[in-house]
Amino acid sequence: MTEPPPAPAETAPARSRGRDIWRQFRRHRGAMLGLLVLAAILLFAGLGPLVWRLDPGFVDIRVRNQGFGAAHPLGTDQLGRDLLARLMAGGRVTLAVGLAAMAVALGFGSLVGIAAGWSRRLDAPLMRLTELFLALPLLPLLLLMVMLFREPLARAMGPAGGSFMLIVTAIGATSWMQTARILRGEVLALKEREFILAAVSTGTPTRRMILRHVVPNVVSPMLVAATLGIAAAIVTESALSFLGLGFPPDFPTWGRLLYDAVDQMQLYPWRVVLPGLLISLTVLSVNYVGDGLRDAMDPRQRHR
């Protein structure tokens, strides 16, 4: 009777790159805390209105300027509008502006950076264009764009839709430069790698090389730039709303709530503290998440 053949040795499953990134990300305490805070803010703004169903625009003069209470946990403003409902609604608008503006900046910056890094003919003009935008004073440029295009867009798309489109486009058009410069450097380094040189030697079309070899290898810096771009867009939108050049008065954002509360800041300080605290926590948490992603996606950090 012959002995059965020995069972093949079990091979340990190969750890995916995603697991390595998540393991390294979890080691970053600031990033994990930022992720928890950001998740709480997203739940507050996204699911909060489903629980607290008061209309953020409902005016009730009889209960104006009230403090914390059962009917209005965070009080009311000078028109009797519920502050908790307005903070939730303002969070949805502010976060939507941050995400949309980040997408515009990331898309345009990625196109410019990859094109400049890959093509020698386009490198010089695109980088000069990037440097020109970096040299411009961004806040006055934003104010000029808002003053010039706010009324035409409001007539074409309505006050809320026109303001949203204008602010997202203005912020995205003035915040793509850092992404472009980062991706240009990444592409210049990738062009010297062996697999790119092998693809060039075999006659692979340029479009296919960019889509199959270049873009997948620059996803990591793109994600880091995206997280940092969200924070910058939120701060910029809040600044525009605080200056009274953002959304209409009946369309709450955290920056608009700050602007409305400044006149009565000494009497009702919590009206300034609450939206300011939410803006600060959101920006800090997004920045910490971006730092954690940057460290987790760095191969030198991942193998420590």
Side-chain angles (χ1 to χ4, degrees):
M1 182 176 181
T2 60
E3 296 181 358
E10 295 184 1
T11 59
R15 293 183 302 175
S16 66
R17 184 168 181 263
R19 291 181 180 178
D20 288 341
I21 292 174
W22 173 243
R23 184 176 291 105
Q24 181 65 33
F25 184 83
R26 287 187 302 178
R27 295 177 183 174
H28 196 298
R29 295 182 180 179
M32 288 301 296
L33 180 60
L35 185 62
L36 292 176
V37 173
L38 184 60
I41 292 174
L42 290 174
L43 289 175
F44 173 78
L47 300 181
L50 300 178
V51 179
W52 192 253
R53 296 178 176 272
L54 286 183
D55 184 1
F58 178 71
V59 175
D60 188 358
I61 299 298
R62 297 171 300 176
V63 296
R64 67 189 186 96
N65 294 328
Q66 285 192 352
F68 301 157
H72 303 282
L74 298 182
T76 58
D77 63 5
Q78 66 274 16
L79 297 178
R81 295 172 295 189
D82 184 76
L83 283 179
L84 178 58
R86 290 180 66 77
L87 285 172
M88 291 176 180
R92 299 176 76 171
V93 178
T94 299
L95 292 172
V97 168
L99 290 171
M102 175 272 298
V104 172
L106 184 65
F108 190 67
S110 299
L111 288 176
V112 172
I114 293 174
W118 187 263
S119 173
R120 291 184 177 179
R121 292 184 303 172
L122 296 177
D123 188 15
L126 289 178
M127 285 299 100
R128 300 297 82 77
L129 177 65
T130 304
E131 292 169 0
L132 173 63
F133 271 83
L134 285 172
L136 291 174
L138 296 185
L139 187 57
L141 180 61
L142 283 170
L143 298 178
L144 179 63
M145 294 175 66
V146 170
M147 295 300 296
L148 289 178
F149 300 109
R150 181 168 57 179
E151 294 299 328
L153 285 175
R155 289 194 297 267
M157 305 177 64
S163 297
F164 185 85
M165 180 63 65
L166 174 60
I167 292 174
V168 166
T169 305
I171 296 175
T174 55
S175 57
W176 55 270
M177 296 80 72
Q178 290 79 9
T179 302
R181 297 183 70 177
I182 292 171
L183 293 187
R184 173 183 175 269
E186 293 288 334
V187 174
L188 287 175
L190 279 174
K191 286 173 63 176
E192 306 301 325
R193 299 284 296 274
E194 291 80 2
F195 65 93
I196 295 290
L197 297 176
V200 173
S201 65
T202 57
T204 305
T206 301
R207 180 180 177 183
R208 186 176 180 183
M209 277 193 295
I210 292 176
L211 293 178
R212 295 193 61 181
H213 299 294
V214 175
V215 173
N217 284 281
V218 296
V219 169
S220 298
M222 285 174 64
L223 289 177
V224 175
T227 56
L228 301 178
I230 293 174
I234 290 174
V235 171
T236 306
E237 184 278 325
S238 300
L240 289 175
S241 297
F242 182 76
L243 294 173
L245 296 173
F247 287 89
D250 57 343
F251 205 71
T253 67
W254 288 339
R256 185 74 203 190
L257 294 178
L258 277 174
Y259 174 76
D260 292 339
V262 165
D263 293 338
Q264 298 177 326
M265 181 172 58
Q266 294 182 346
L267 295 175
Y268 311 104
W270 68 87
R271 296 183 191 173
V272 176
V273 172
L274 292 176
L277 182 63
L278 286 172
I279 293 172
S280 300
L281 287 176
T282 303
V283 172
L284 284 174
S285 61
V286 170
N287 281 331
Y288 275 117
V289 170
D291 289 342
L293 282 176
R294 181 189 59 200
D295 294 343
M297 291 180 175
D298 188 349
R300 294 169 297 182
Q301 297 285 340
R302 257 191 290 125
H303 294 294
R304 284 185 178 180

